[in-house]
Amino acid sequence: MSSTVLTRTLTAVFGAALAVSVFTPAAAGDPPEHAPGQSEPQGWELADRIRKEVTPPNIPQRPYDVTDYGADPTGERDSTDAIAAAIDAASDKGGGKVVVPAGEFHTGAIHLESNIELHISDAATVRFSQDPADYLPAVKTRWEGIELYNYSPFIYAHDAEDVAITGGGTLDGQADDEHWWPWKEESNGDGGVIETEHRDQLFQWAADGVPVEQRRFEDSKLRPNFVQFYESENILVEDVTLTNSPMWMIHPVLSENVTVDNVTLDSPVGPNSDGVNPESSKNVVIKNSSFDNGDDCIAIKSGRNEDGRRIGVPSENIVIHDNTMADGHGGVTIGSEMSGDVYNVFAENNVMDSENLDRALRIKTNSVRGGTVEQVYFRNNDIPQIGGEVIRINFQYEEGDAGEHTPTVRDIRIENVHSTGGEFGLYLRGYEQSPISDVTIRDSTFSDVDTPMELEHVDNLHLDNVDINDRHYDEVIDAGPLS
């Protein structure tokens, strides 16, 4: 057995913590299990427990070499059926390690089953088809926070337990300016882009409560995710490189006990190529990984608008540590699809270093999307370069204050964070009816920013031993409307 795919052992305490399933809907805005007054550990004590108890899946290490089932290591022939045959053979025996050896392999969608480790060997490259037809039949998925049946993600697991993607090889999505990306970038001749008609229709279906089974398109123009785990648990992604993604790269949805470790996420050019997006997922650790993305490096989500509130499952207990982040819209982002709430996010010991990284910590929402975010901890993060705002919490995202679902953001703790450059040190803009509240920043420096702070409707901002452009702050600030 490899050193990283180990028998999963849970303490009695952790077993109790997992007794409440992530799949049990709860009304958006309900207090989380970790509400004050309960015995649940708080703050960094909780982060330490999450790190300890989120453990790799238990997968038999019987090897199944895909070339034994007809996969072509020269890349001249399609290997989709051969890879599927190897997965089926391993599954029939109770699980195993499906090995992609050295070589170049071309494939369509890969569907993982329970107790399967897909191992991409060091000298292996798996190149995914550029033909949308190779990702049909449609599967149940989420697209920008809304459920539907759409193209299969390139690697997909649904209702699976104990699944892994490992190895030092490369997964190449082969998205480029002629495949997948144009749907987001090229004009449809009617004021939008190619995907606009289907995107708008999907949002309308969700608003109208159309059953998910009926949400299907002929010739869909909604790009698939690269890797998606849907309603699954005990998940590991380790050591692999993902590149050239059609959109979101690693996307656990309604899933639990997830580890992303030492993964390279390299897709800085394509639109919406977020690195890791836990959505309505619980107990997630993202560590030791490298991000260079065309959108957010990490974006924590919980569904969009009516669909997010219908499902009503938050993302919670997310620990992010010892990663490096280069280009992207945000290093650690929450939103904008966060209608089902987000609780307990911890980020520490990350390095965010690029003038093309727009923000270090970002929370984005509005009163159309709504949602509650609380208990966000951000410490010991080093930011040698930043392009925009170091800390940005914004209720004016996209539609702004145009809905009936007022968001709540509170209990944000920032400590020992040091940055150089950028447009703003702090950019915090809430609503009069719902100020951003209880933000504490301690022992931090924000140097060489264009504007130290822009604050609108902020209550109880604690600055404790904070320096911004060499001005020292030890004070509590309440801010009203912008002047």
Side-chain angles (χ1 to χ4, degrees), residues 29-46:
D30 282 356
E33 297 168 37
H34 50 271
Q38 297 184 8
S39 59
E40 187 82 7
Q42 298 290 302
W44 289 104
E45 181 184 351
L46 175 58

Side-chain angles (χ1 to χ4, degrees), residues 13 37 45 73 82-83 90 101 122 170 183 204 216 269 276 312 393 405 423 437 439 446 466 474:
V13 173
E45 181 184 351
I83 294 171
D122 287 356
T170 297
W183 296 358
Q204 191 61 52
R216 300 171 182 263
V269 179
V276 180
I393 304 174
H405 303 278
E423 296 179 7
S437 64
V439 178
F446 307 95
V466 174
D474 279 301

Side-chain angles (χ1 to χ4, degrees), residues 175 181 223 226 243-250 265-277 291-298 327-329:
W181 296 344
R223 294 158 292 146
F226 202 146
T243 190
N244 300 321
S245 181
M247 57 175 300
W248 299 355
M249 300 186 80
I250 299 177
L265 296 127
D266 177 26
S267 195
V269 179
N272 309 121
S273 57
D274 298 32
V276 180
N277 287 10
F291 295 81
D292 194 5
N293 297 93
D295 208 308
D296 296 316
C297 296
I298 295 170
D327 293 4
H329 291 181

Side-chain angles (χ1 to χ4, degrees), residues 186-403:
E186 291 188 3
S187 172
N188 63 0
D190 193 30
V193 294
I194 292 171
E195 73 177 25
T196 297
E197 179 182 356
H198 287 174
R199 185 175 187 264
D200 290 351
Q201 179 64 73
L202 176 63
F203 294 167
Q204 191 61 52
W205 281 339
D208 293 342
V210 172
V212 175
E213 177 66 32
Q214 298 176 22
R215 301 178 191 175
R216 300 171 182 263
F217 293 104
E218 295 294 331
D219 190 27
S220 172
K221 297 303 180 188
L222 302 181
R223 294 158 292 146
N225 294 164
F226 202 146
V227 175
Q228 186 180 81
F229 305 95
Y230 208 96
E231 296 175 322
S232 296
E233 61 181 334
N234 311 333
I235 295 160
L236 172 68
V237 184
E238 184 178 52
D239 295 338
V240 293
T241 293
L242 284 75
T243 190
N244 300 321
S245 181
M247 57 175 300
W248 299 355
M249 300 186 80
I250 299 177
H251 185 204
V253 183
L254 294 163
S255 292
E256 187 168 335
N257 193 38
V258 180
T259 301
V260 177
D261 185 8
N262 196 38
V263 174
T264 298
L265 296 127
D266 177 26
S267 195
V269 179
N272 309 121
S273 57
D274 298 32
V276 180
N277 287 10
E279 184 165 9
S280 298
S281 290
K282 180 179 180 181
N283 300 324
V284 178
V285 175
I286 305 166
K287 60 183 179 178
N288 306 320
S289 294
S290 175
F291 295 81
D292 194 5
N293 297 93
D295 208 308
D296 296 316
C297 296
I298 295 170
I300 300 163
K301 301 173 180 291
S302 60
R304 179 174 180 140
N305 299 359
E306 291 82 3
D307 236 39
R309 291 183 281 272
R310 172 181 64 84
I311 296 169
V313 175
S315 275
E316 58 184 319
N317 296 359
I318 315 290
V319 179
I320 300 160
H321 69 88
D322 293 287
N323 303 286
T324 60
M325 299 171 184
D327 293 4
H329 291 181
V332 175
T333 293
I334 299 172
S336 61
E337 302 88 356
M338 45 160 273
S339 302
D341 304 337
V342 176
Y343 308 119
N344 289 340
V345 176
F346 305 88
E348 67 173 341
N349 300 328
N350 301 288
V351 177
M352 305 177 181
D353 187 8
S354 173
E355 63 182 8
N356 296 316
L357 181 63
D358 294 336
R359 300 106 185 168
L361 174 63
R362 180 187 193 191
I363 302 173
K364 50 181 175 175
T365 186
N366 58 45
S367 62
V368 176
R369 304 186 190 190
T372 294
V373 175
E374 62 181 4
Q375 302 295 329
V376 176
Y377 295 80
F378 191 80
R379 75 177 183 185
N380 302 338
N381 296 295
D382 190 22
I383 309 168
Q385 297 182 84
I386 197 77
E389 304 87 359
V390 183
I391 310 297
R392 179 184 177 100
I393 304 174
N394 182 24
F395 289 10
Q396 305 296 334
Y397 185 77
E398 291 194 349
E399 299 99 330
D401 192 7

